[in-house]
Amino acid sequence: VDGSSKILAVEADPLLGDRVAARLGRVVLTRERRLHRLALRRTSPVRFPFSAFRAGQDEMVNEVEGTVLEGGALLLEAPTGAGKTAAALHGVLRAAALTGRRVLWATARGPQQAVAEAALRAVVAAGTPIRSVTLRARDKVCLRTALGEGESPDCRPEVCRFARNYHTKLLDSDLVERAASEGVLLPERLSALSLSAEVCPAALARDCTEAVDVVIGDLNYFFDPDGHLLSLGGPDDVVVIDEAHQLVERARQWGSPAVTRSVVDAVLAAYRAPEQHLLRRLADDVVAELDELPLRVVSEWAGPEQLVEVPPRRWEDLRDRFDELALDHLRVRAPDPDPWPELARAVDRFARVLRESGPETVLIGSDAGIRLFCRDPSAILGPQLAEPGAVIAMSATLRPMEVWADQVGLPGARTLRKRSFLSTFPPENRLVLVVSGLSTAWKHRERDRDRVAQALSAGIGAVPGNCAVFFSSFEQRADLVLRVDLGGREALRQEPGMSEAERSLILDTMRAPGPPKVLLAVMGGIFGEGVDLAGDALRAVFVVGPGLPPPSLERRLQEEWEEEQHGEGYRRAWLHPGLTRVVQAAGRVVRRPEDRGAVVLICQRFLQREIQEFFPEDWAPVRARDPAAALRRFFEGEGGGG
């Protein structure tokens, strides 16, 4: 405090030299192994995992391979069931083998990771020597919680035995090389290896990324500014973004951090002991800052949320104080679960984004707390997409491609390719109906509620097999479902917050033989994307309304921004996200060339030209006031697609 300094004599560790030499030897050995692996990849043919290409897959392979070799970016749009995953994987592995690059396979959901893992296993089974590892969230793989040794993940070595002496255990057993050499290293196998060596599986997976050819993981590992691994996404990597349409909203969330009263209240409730008074005082100061928000309103909006302004310096000071109290937090007895780290991370992220963001980001305050809202995620994604050696973005719903490219900050300095592939399935095997004469718009809800329910009842009754009904929201489903006659069919319901195990159980029920069933789900949810229900598992999809986002302050602010920047606020802020969800939901039916199924779009707004521009080019929507009659003719084979 007084500026004085002292010099302390510390005896040298006689074993330090030996440890440095051993570590250097490990670095050299790791590099030699990598060079050997790259040489093996260059001389080993990359085999396609199936006996033959589907129609169009060879073109996809060439597009992907060419893009990687030239270091560009590719937007690849192809319908569900076209074989995008296998084609993209084949093309990117061929080019990566020639260039010595690692492949990063970024997904938004666990089921998509499973699809990539299955494709890789098929590649390895065909004779191509490939190593891969899948990254999973810490809380999903934590051995401490799985074994009942704690209620939540806590990675402090003094608390978790799997974190204690982690690096020593890793080096002594050469565990990274042993794990990576297994080929396609699935999370279940990695957890078993971690348990036997008593190390953290999340940490082991991260270390394995340096010893494999393909890394599979959630989008946040590659793009989230606060969650991505620094060792991933450089010029020696090729990034493949699967279901790329989901990246925009994810990035908007990353750029919209919040500090909520609920997490502060949790700290105040947990930290009451006298020795915790410094921590509690800081939490009180965060509350005081939130209490001042009504004094900082700069634009009045109808509703509980308002636009506010706050001095960035105030929040930077709070963040610095959290850093200063880090050791004090370690010294006190923390509750389990401990809310303090969540509050510290929230303040840190909020202060950083507040300082770094530009006019695309606005501040919103309410009784619940304060948050930023990022209206244009290209500020986050553009710099990150400029780093890898090449970028492949693929989805069944990337149209309009120029909108998606703008939102993610492409092309930047890259050459940008855009390729859209049409369905090669027999067109007579898919019927797309638009039910006219009724509306699902909010202003018409009371007027047309019973007619919408009647159309659903009649349509479901006309389908000789399983159906899925996708609603715009859980509220809309609750409003309609009691009025719909399911004809005695078993109803399978999506519920908020369903686990992957619960989701898998419903999908297995749909695939099982037996009387017809009805899945009642919401667009954009866990059943609206990444679900494969081929053949008789799903014969028809009913989509109730165009799925436009509900009115909110955020959506209106985004519309204003898109209008100022591009002159098309409504199209980009409302239609684009809504119709993307519609097309994704519709893609759950007709997954193979031999499948035969129907898509029924219930709302006269689906007839509007501005909405139909988002439909796939191979759709041929037919207007129908009596969808049941059209469905019966179609499934009886009397009218084909007409």
Side-chain angles (χ1 to χ4, degrees):
V1 175
D2 62 6
S4 62
S5 62
K6 295 181 179 180
I7 298 176
L8 304 179
V10 180
E11 291 292 331
D13 183 347
L15 300 180
L16 180 60
D18 293 339
R19 288 204 295 270
V20 171
R23 181 62 181 143
L24 179 59
R26 178 65 57 184
V27 171
V28 172
L29 178 60
T30 299
R31 176 167 173 76
E32 289 176 345
R33 286 171 170 171
R34 179 176 181 273
L35 294 175
H36 175 73
R37 193 171 71 253
L38 292 178
L40 180 63
R41 285 176 60 192
R42 282 193 299 270
T43 57
S44 301
V46 178
R47 305 185 188 281
F48 193 65
F50 304 104
S51 58
F53 287 120
R54 293 183 187 176
Q57 276 188 312
D58 54 343
E59 292 184 59
M60 295 184 204
V61 170
N62 292 334
E63 285 286 348
V64 170
E65 185 175 13
T67 300
V68 175
L69 291 177
E70 74 177 11
L74 170 66
L75 308 188
L76 191 157
E77 183 184 58
T80 301
K84 294 187 295 295
T85 298
L89 185 63
H90 186 62
V92 78
L93 286 178
R94 284 188 358 185
L98 295 175
T99 58
R101 289 187 172 125
R102 180 176 53 180
V103 176
L104 309 181
W105 196 277
T107 70
R109 298 183 189 274
Q112 295 160 347
Q113 296 175 14
V115 171
E117 291 166 351
L120 272 172
R121 289 200 301 272
V123 169
V124 172
T128 303
I130 292 293
R131 293 176 166 193
S132 75
V133 66
T134 300
L135 302 175
R136 288 281 175 86
R138 181 183 60 169
D139 58 343
K140 292 185 177 180
V141 299
C142 178
L143 292 174
R144 177 173 179 265
T145 56
L147 297 174
E149 298 177 7
E151 295 183 16
S152 61
D154 189 333
C155 297
R156 291 177 294 174
E158 63 270 23
V159 175
C160 179
R161 62 186 173 99
F162 299 100
R164 195 173 303 131
N165 299 321
Y166 169 78
H167 292 287
T168 300
K169 297 173 186 174
L170 216 63
L171 294 176
D172 288 347
S173 62
D174 201 16
L175 187 56
V176 168
E177 179 62 21
R178 288 198 295 117
S181 63
E182 295 209 0
V184 181
L185 182 59
L186 301 180
E188 296 77 15
R189 176 57 180 161
L190 187 137
S191 290
L193 291 171
S194 300
L195 181 61
S196 64
E198 204 175 68
V199 299
C200 171
L204 178 58
R206 291 195 298 269
D207 284 320
C208 283
T209 60
E210 297 296 323
V212 298
D213 310 303
V214 181
V215 180
I216 302 171
D218 189 89
L219 294 169
N220 65 291
Y221 289 116
F222 310 115
F223 298 112
D224 182 355
D226 285 338
H228 81 285
L229 302 183
L230 296 178
S231 61
L232 302 178
D236 291 332
D237 293 321
V238 179
V239 175
V240 180
I241 310 169
D242 193 11
E243 300 294 347
H245 63 277
Q246 298 184 6
L247 179 60
V248 173
E249 286 303 319
R250 278 288 200 95
R252 185 170 282 119
Q253 294 172 16
W254 299 330
S256 305
V259 179
T260 63
R261 287 185 182 271
S262 61
V263 68
V264 188
D265 290 343
V267 170
L268 292 174
Y271 283 76
R272 296 180 176 275
E275 66 270 18
Q276 299 170 335
H277 72 281
L278 290 176
L279 304 176
R280 184 179 179 86
R281 183 188 304 169
L282 180 51
D284 283 330
D285 289 345
V286 175
V287 171
E289 188 66 27
L290 296 179
D291 286 340
E292 289 190 18
L293 290 180
L295 304 177
R296 304 182 184 279
V297 173
V298 297
S299 179
E300 293 282 353
W301 288 80
E305 297 185 321
Q306 304 295 335
L307 290 181
V308 299
E309 285 184 354
V310 298
R313 188 63 224 169
R314 297 274 290 270
W315 284 94
E316 289 177 17
D317 289 342
L318 288 171
R319 180 198 58 195
D320 291 344
R321 290 174 59 193
F322 273 95
D323 287 343
E324 292 165 2
L325 291 180
L327 288 178
D328 296 83
H329 173 250
L330 291 176
R331 291 191 187 104
V332 303
R333 182 182 297 277
D336 187 11
D338 183 5
W340 182 265
E342 182 181 356
L343 177 59
R345 286 192 295 267
V347 172
D348 176 75
R349 187 165 190 166
F350 181 86
R352 178 182 55 77
V353 177
L354 178 61
R355 183 188 70 248
E356 298 175 354
S357 60
E360 79 285 344
T361 303
V362 293
L363 270 165
I364 298 174
S366 69
D367 291 341
I370 187 171
R371 59 192 174 94
L372 293 161
F373 175 56
C374 176
R375 297 181 288 181
D376 185 358
S378 65
I380 299 170
L381 295 171
Q384 297 195 66
L385 290 174
E387 293 296 325
V391 175
I392 309 296
M394 60 182 187
S395 171
T397 48
L398 282 180
R399 65 180 54 227
M401 286 188 175
E402 69 277 5
V403 173
W404 191 87
D406 283 342
Q407 292 176 331
V408 302
L410 286 174
R414 295 185 184 278
T415 301
L416 180 62
R417 298 186 182 193
K418 302 177 184 178
R419 280 301 309 270
S420 182
F421 291 84
L422 299 179
S423 173
T424 58
F425 296 173
E428 63 273 13
N429 283 1
R430 179 194 284 115
L431 172 67
V432 180
L433 288 178
V434 177
V435 181
S436 60
L438 52 81
S439 172
T440 62
W442 177 265
K443 62 183 178 181
H444 299 141
R445 173 171 290 191
E446 294 289 339
R447 186 194 72 186
D448 289 354
R449 177 188 286 118
D450 290 338
R451 297 171 62 207
V452 171
Q454 290 168 7
L456 277 173
S457 301
I460 291 171
V463 176
N466 295 340
C467 303
V469 183
F470 287 97
F471 299 89
S472 297
S473 64
F474 286 108
E475 292 77 13
Q476 186 193 52
R477 187 182 73 178
D479 185 56
L480 286 171
V481 73
L482 293 179
R483 293 173 168 82
V484 177
D485 181 5
L486 301 181
R489 301 182 186 217
E490 179 184 1
L492 306 174
R493 298 171 184 264
Q494 175 188 347
E495 300 298 345
M498 289 186 76
S499 67
E500 289 190 17
E502 293 170 324
R503 174 183 180 272
S504 297
L505 180 61
I506 286 182
L507 294 178
D508 290 342
T509 303
M510 292 284 287
R511 297 185 182 108
K517 295 168 280 288
V518 180
L519 172 63
L520 304 173
V522 295
M523 285 179 266
I526 58 175
F527 294 101
E529 302 182 16
V531 169
D532 191 2
L533 291 170
D536 292 335
L538 187 62
R539 302 301 309 280
V541 164
F542 295 82
V543 179
V544 186
L548 304 187
S552 66
L553 172 58
E554 287 186 351
R555 194 60 55 177
R556 294 189 182 102
L557 291 170
Q558 185 185 342
E559 182 180 11
E560 286 183 359
W561 174 264
E562 298 288 7
E563 190 65 34
E564 292 171 2
Q565 301 297 314
H566 305 285
E568 46 184 26
Y570 179 71
R571 178 171 177 258
R572 288 177 177 241
W574 301 87
L575 293 183
H576 187 240
L579 273 299
T580 295
R581 296 196 306 165
V582 167
V583 176
Q584 282 290 325
R588 299 316 98 204
V589 73
V590 186
R591 307 283 297 181
R592 304 174 305 188
E594 63 270 24
D595 291 348
R596 185 175 175 82
V599 176
V600 183
L601 308 175
I602 300 179
C603 185
Q604 61 191 18
R605 286 178 291 173
F606 283 116
L607 296 171
Q608 297 172 5
R609 181 176 300 176
E610 63 179 356
I611 282 182
Q612 292 203 359
E613 74 162 318
F614 292 91
F615 290 177
E617 293 182 23
D618 57 319
W619 279 16
V622 178
R623 180 174 182 167
R625 283 185 173 271
D626 184 2
L631 287 168
R632 280 192 291 269
R633 288 196 302 270
F634 173 74
F635 285 110
E636 291 169 2
E638 296 178 358

